[in-house]
Amino acid sequence: MDIVCCTDMNYVPYCGVMLTSLLENNRSTGVTVHIIGNELTNEGHDALRRIVEKKYGQQTVFYPLDGKLLDAFPETCSYVSLTAYVKLFIADILPTNIHKALYLDGDLVVVGSLKDLWDYSLGGKAMAAVKDAHRRIEEDCRRLGVDFQREGYFNSGVMLLNLDYWRKNNVLQKALDFLAVHADQLPYHDQDVLNGTLHGQILPLPLRYNLHDCLFHTHRYLQPEDEALVEQELSPEHRVVIHFSSRRKPWGTRCLHPLRKLYFDYQDRTEWSGMRPKDTFKERCWRFNRRLSGWLDWVNGYRRIR
């Protein structure tokens, strides 16, 4: 499997936890991890190599993120962090002899085998991903010119990429053109750009491969007939990727995700074992009030998950 991730020095510990979870649950599969680093130092390289190469005997390839790539962005987008949009450049950064790659965000843990996902047939499409389910998703589709019922809107945290399609169809340039036109209308940044550029060319993956935050909430923005499927995919025997996709990450004090402990279980298998966010009385009060508000249905809280 060719796995792609992107990190900077601040994100190295979280990327390391993600890679530990991936390699721990895919020991029988050969893995090459392609790490696109934004100002990643030798210290960052060494920390990730200790996980991938020394602990699990797999391969790493590092690619420095060329700051000149920023020159390709429209002037109206000069404020945008290149790291946030690195997904657009993957097909151009990786060697042309790599035809397919699996991109994984750094804020997730892999809890099962990815073999079936890696073997998933793309059928000539640009990529495969899991559909998102956030509030006002239909409005977002209209904003991007996407047919919600026929095409859907996808989460970009886990993507099986057809790199040959991207290169042949110059997806990077199309994405940059889309970005230039819609620069001030992209609240979900790279995810909006990919959906707006590739709609109709994205295959839906089973939810288990990207169980993003929205699926764990009490109120889900789903069709009623999809509720039973979500419950099945969330069960321990089916779930494969847990994606902590909200702004409240497990390494922060305000994460209330019901599977947060899983994150720390994998973190404690790394050199960052025992590292926890510094708690305060104020933060404990915030969590209590938020949980109470969810129980009273004043906010959209989390469900209880096995």
Side-chain angles (χ1 to χ4, degrees):
M1 289 191 293
D2 287 292
I3 304 295
V4 182
C5 55
C6 177
T7 188
D8 56 22
M9 284 306 296
N10 291 329
Y11 234 71
V12 163
Y14 317 132
C15 183
V17 174
M18 181 274 287
L19 291 173
T20 296
S21 70
L22 160 71
L23 298 169
E24 190 69 31
N25 290 292
N26 290 270
R27 288 178 176 268
S28 62
T29 304
V31 175
T32 299
V33 181
H34 303 267
I35 301 172
I36 303 173
N38 185 15
E39 299 182 350
L40 200 60
T41 67
N42 289 336
E43 182 183 356
H45 288 185
D46 292 344
L48 296 175
R49 282 197 181 101
R50 284 194 292 272
I51 294 171
V52 179
E53 297 179 7
K54 293 186 179 180
K55 184 174 183 179
Y56 292 101
Q58 303 287 9
Q59 300 182 62
T60 54
V61 184
F62 289 90
Y63 306 83
L65 192 56
D66 188 349
K68 293 180 181 179
L69 290 176
L70 187 59
D71 295 338
F73 278 81
E75 290 184 8
T76 53
C77 300
S78 59
Y79 65 91
V80 174
S81 166
L82 184 58
T83 306
Y85 283 89
V86 70
K87 299 171 190 178
L88 305 180
F89 295 91
I90 291 173
D92 289 62
I93 292 174
L94 265 60
T96 55
N97 64 345
I98 298 176
H99 308 289
K100 177 174 70 171
L102 177 61
Y103 172 85
L104 297 175
D105 265 353
D107 57 350
L108 58 81
V109 290
V110 178
V111 297
S113 171
L114 293 176
K115 184 179 184 305
D116 288 346
L117 171 56
W118 178 250
D119 292 338
Y120 196 84
S121 175
L122 289 167
K125 297 291 188 180
M127 58 182 270
V130 170
K131 288 187 176 182
D132 209 66
H134 61 264
R135 188 180 182 189
R136 298 193 182 96
I137 192 169
E138 293 190 49
E139 294 176 23
D140 287 325
C141 284
R142 286 193 291 272
R143 170 173 55 82
L144 298 170
V146 175
D147 185 324
F148 174 72
Q149 296 298 334
R150 189 165 59 88
E151 297 168 332
Y153 181 97
F154 294 84
N155 187 286
S156 64
V158 178
M159 300 183 295
L160 185 62
L161 303 171
N162 182 346
L163 300 181
D164 289 337
Y165 178 100
W166 282 54
R167 295 168 183 139
K168 180 180 178 181
N169 292 279
N170 201 4
V171 170
L172 173 58
Q173 188 57 54
K174 291 177 180 176
L176 294 174
D177 292 344
F178 185 90
L179 184 56
V181 174
H182 302 276
D184 58 347
Q185 306 168 30
L186 303 170
Y188 298 109
H189 305 296
D190 59 282
Q191 185 168 279
D192 276 349
V193 174
L194 289 167
N195 276 278
T197 303
L198 293 174
H199 62 91
Q201 291 298 321
I202 306 175
L203 290 174
L205 288 172
L207 296 174
R208 69 191 64 179
Y209 295 119
N210 186 353
L211 293 167
H212 47 80
D213 195 79
C214 297
L215 300 176
F216 292 87
H217 280 281
T218 302
H219 301 289
R220 301 175 177 135
Y221 302 99
L222 299 165
Q223 299 298 321
E225 60 270 20
D226 293 332
E227 287 286 347
L229 175 62
V230 173
E231 288 300 319
Q232 174 182 294
E233 294 289 273
L234 285 174
S235 65
E237 58 268 24
H238 285 95
R239 58 195 184 212
V240 178
V241 176
I242 312 298
H243 186 189
F244 301 96
S245 57
S246 83
R247 68 182 182 276
R248 299 187 179 107
K249 303 302 182 187
W251 53 84
T253 57
R254 296 193 171 186
C255 178
L256 298 176
H257 196 289
L259 295 180
R260 185 189 190 202
K261 184 180 181 297
L262 270 178
Y263 181 86
F264 292 127
D265 286 346
Y266 286 106
Q267 180 183 289
D268 288 343
R269 304 183 196 191
T270 73
E271 61 191 75
W272 301 282
S273 175
M275 187 173 72
R276 300 291 188 270
K278 185 177 180 180
D279 207 0
T280 64
F281 177 72
K282 178 181 176 181
E283 294 301 289
R284 290 194 293 272
C285 288
W286 184 93
R287 291 196 300 273
F288 174 81
N289 287 332
R290 188 75 179 187
R291 288 191 178 99
L292 178 62
S293 297
W295 183 73
L296 294 172
D297 209 22
W298 294 346
V299 298
N300 191 4
Y302 286 100
R303 293 167 180 254
R304 290 184 178 273
I305 302 293
R306 289 189 290 139

